[in-house]
Amino acid sequence: MNTIEIFGPFKQIVTMDNLPGYGPLNDEMLDIIYDGGIRVLNGVILEIGPYHQIKQNNDKPIALPNPSIVVPGFVDAHTHMLWAGSRANDYAKRLSGVSYQEIAANGGGILDTVNHTRKASSHELETILLKHAEKHFNRGITTCEVKSGYGLNVADELKMLQVINNVNDKINQTLIPTCLAAHTIPWEFNNPEKYLNHLIEELLPEVKERNLSQRIDIFVEEEAFPCELAQKYLMKSKELGFTTCVHADQFTRGGSSIASQVGSVSADHLEQSTSDDIVNMKKHNVTPIVLPGASLGLGMPFAPARKMLDEGLPLVLASDWNPGSAPQGDLLMQAAILGASEKLTIAETLASITCRPAKVLGYNDRGTIKPGFRADFAIYPTRSFQDIVYFQGSLHPFKVFANGHNFC
């Protein structure tokens, strides 16, 4: 049965429509409908406009706080939100002055999470991911990428990817699985080249055959996978039909150059990127995904987001939610804090977590409130869209909808 629902009236509908896909934005560019409403049919936006014009006699509006405003559901383009165990001890060590690299070299870090995740059953991991996904949803995030990378062998990487797909089938929020088996070198291998060849020969064909992921990622650092090996792995992944992205320039430069050379859709992190790296990404249409949560979690400077925008790149901000370097996971809070530091306009901040990440993830039906798009939006109990960024994440949505529905 076709069901029409009407949402409103809203003081403001911030559509995020008709914005340039890249480069700087000012707040005057925002397309805002005042005293507006949204008509939804079977989870898809049917009509938007002034509330008094689109409301019909038989409509039953969804009860909303007065006043309220609505923005597109947020899109988190980089997370590691499926894991078992805790890395609170690592965090305490970093606060005492031990570096991320030193902790990893002494048995902590990613491999500690791998140990716990391998031991967890698929049911346990599904329960964890459902909890994390719902927490994200309640923060306004209706689409989020989720990486594997805490299995680091064929069986456990497949287990993680299957769990992401299973949970995605149970909820209205969209989870996008990315295979990050090239996260670091597991205990079973002492040679990064042998491990990457193992993934190419044994894991990636299985991922492709089972349709568990269309995306491949790799952590490009000397202590993980150096540039030359990463380039070969990414090129082989592309030959197998995968889209690629890269953990790049977090501690040292080089990864963003590899992303540019192989034509990856994004380079993520970029804390060490220089002006030359930014120009190179622009030349090769690589989208920068900046992860302020990792900077906050590690006590590192933010990536040069302002320079990226001014150079004409389509800046995306993502949470990097993970148990080690970015345990906080609050995308809006991170985006607002980075925005204050890097002098991003409110329009730039909102675009970086709505329409622009939707595009880099390959979606043309979300990140914007417009007819024909999914009814993914977050409703805030306030009079002005400015308050969403102004309160730096402490203003929470009254209600969130994905595909016109709640979480599940």
Side-chain angles (χ1 to χ4, degrees), residues 87 90 93 100 102-113:
R87 299 250 288 280
D90 285 5
K93 288 180 179 179
Y100 180 90
E102 289 174 307
I103 291 169
N106 287 289
I110 293 168
L111 290 178
D112 180 65
T113 302

Side-chain angles (χ1 to χ4, degrees), residues 110-364:
I110 293 168
L111 290 178
D112 180 65
T113 302
V114 170
N115 185 44
H116 286 91
T117 304
R118 285 184 177 182
K119 292 177 180 178
S121 68
S122 293
H123 176 73
E124 289 170 329
L125 291 176
E126 283 194 25
T127 301
I128 290 167
L129 183 55
L130 274 167
K131 180 180 177 181
H132 288 168
E134 185 172 19
K135 188 172 186 178
H136 238 24
F137 185 84
N138 290 332
R139 290 167 170 163
I141 297 164
T142 54
T143 298
C144 51
E145 185 254 23
V146 185
K147 300 181 189 295
S148 64
Y150 296 126
L152 304 191
N153 62 34
V154 172
D156 288 296
E157 284 294 310
L158 293 174
K159 177 178 73 173
M160 289 191 72
L161 291 170
Q162 187 64 64
V163 164
I164 298 166
N165 281 274
N166 290 350
V167 172
N168 186 55
D169 290 340
K170 296 178 180 179
I171 60 179
N172 291 308
Q173 183 187 44
T174 301
L175 305 183
I176 303 153
T178 296
C179 181
L180 179 60
H183 200 180
T184 194
I185 307 166
W187 302 283
E188 296 88 349
F189 290 81
N190 58 11
N191 181 293
E193 185 170 17
K194 288 183 179 179
Y195 178 58
L196 292 180
N197 287 338
H198 174 69
L199 297 181
I200 291 168
E201 294 167 5
E202 303 295 334
L203 176 63
L204 299 192
E206 281 290 310
V207 173
K208 178 61 70 173
E209 182 177 345
R210 299 188 192 189
N211 196 30
L212 293 176
S213 174
Q214 303 302 317
R215 293 165 46 88
I216 298 296
D217 195 353
I218 186 170
F219 184 25
V220 182
E221 290 286 345
E222 284 300 322
E223 66 268 21
F225 301 100
C227 290
E228 182 179 356
L229 294 180
Q231 182 177 11
K232 292 178 181 178
Y233 178 73
L234 292 167
M235 291 302 296
K236 185 60 180 179
S237 299
K238 293 189 72 171
E239 290 173 12
L240 292 171
F242 291 101
T243 296
T244 64
C245 52
V246 180
H247 276 61
D249 297 2
Q250 182 178 11
F251 300 110
T252 58
R253 292 177 60 211
S256 64
S257 178
I258 296 301
S260 296
Q261 289 176 41
V262 303
S264 293
V265 296
S266 70
D268 307 19
H269 273 292
L270 308 173
E271 291 89 340
Q272 306 302 322
S273 298
T274 65
S275 296
D276 288 344
D277 296 321
I278 293 169
V279 170
N280 200 31
M281 284 187 283
K282 169 66 174 175
K283 180 180 178 181
H284 292 91
N285 297 314
V286 177
T287 295
I289 300 182
V290 167
L291 309 175
S295 295
L296 294 170
L298 295 174
M300 294 174 60
F302 291 123
R306 180 75 262 161
K307 289 182 180 179
M308 295 172 186
L309 281 169
D310 291 343
E311 191 59 44
L313 283 165
L315 176 71
V316 169
L317 302 181
S319 73
D320 194 27
W321 193 11
N322 72 70
S325 59
Q328 182 217 59
D330 192 326
L331 174 62
L332 179 58
M333 181 180 291
Q334 295 168 15
I337 291 171
L338 177 137
S341 177
E342 287 287 301
K343 301 298 183 288
L344 307 187
T345 67
I346 291 176
E348 289 167 342
T349 299
L350 291 177
S352 74
I353 57 175
T354 56
C355 51
R356 289 180 172 179
K359 182 177 180 181
V360 75
L361 290 174
Y363 286 104
N364 296 312

Side-chain angles (χ1 to χ4, degrees), residues 5-7 10 13-18 31-40 44-55 70 368-375 377:
E5 296 177 300
I6 185 166
F7 298 81
F10 298 107
I13 301 174
V14 185
T15 70
M16 303 306 294
D17 197 12
N18 300 313
D31 179 32
I32 299 175
I33 298 172
Y34 294 89
D35 300 316
I38 305 172
R39 289 172 65 81
V40 173
V44 177
I45 297 170
L46 186 65
E47 183 182 6
I48 61 173
Y51 188 74
H52 71 277
Q53 292 181 7
I54 69 169
K55 184 179 183 299
V70 61
T368 304
I369 299 175
K370 65 186 297 184
F373 276 45
R374 277 173 51 109
F377 41 76

Side-chain angles (χ1 to χ4, degrees), residues 10-31:
F10 298 107
K11 289 292 182 183
Q12 299 172 330
I13 301 174
V14 185
T15 70
M16 303 306 294
D17 197 12
N18 300 313
L19 291 172
Y22 48 84
L25 302 169
N26 61 63
D27 293 353
E28 289 71 29
M29 293 171 144
L30 290 173
D31 179 32

